[in-house]
Amino acid sequence: MKYVCDVCGWEYDPKVGDPDNGIEPGTAFEDLPDDFVCPVCGVSKDQFVEEQN
C-alpha cells in the first residue's frame, strides 16, 4: 500500500521508506514520526491518502 500527498502527489512507499529524510525502508506509514512532513511540499501526514489501486 502506498500513500499519496493530497497536495502535491508525492508518494510514500513503506517498502522504500524515505532514506533521504531518515526514514528507513520497511517503515509503515502508521509508524512515521508525528512530525513527519511531505518532503516536497511540507504538509503533515494527515494530508496523505491511501493510494487506490
Side-chain angles (χ1 to χ4, degrees):
M1 176 88 50
K2 293 181 183 176
Y3 297 84
V4 180
C5 176
D6 250 357
V7 176
C8 72
W10 182 80
E11 290 184 351
Y12 176 74
D13 183 347
K15 293 178 192 169
V16 177
D18 186 13
D20 292 342
N21 292 296
I23 307 297
E24 295 294 321
T27 302
F29 185 80
E30 296 80 17
D31 294 334
L32 291 172
D34 290 338
D35 62 353
F36 175 82
V37 295
C38 175
V40 174
C41 69
V43 297
S44 61
K45 68 181 191 176
D46 65 346
Q47 296 292 312
F48 281 72
V49 294
E50 291 180 8
E51 182 178 64
Q52 302 300 317
N53 291 339

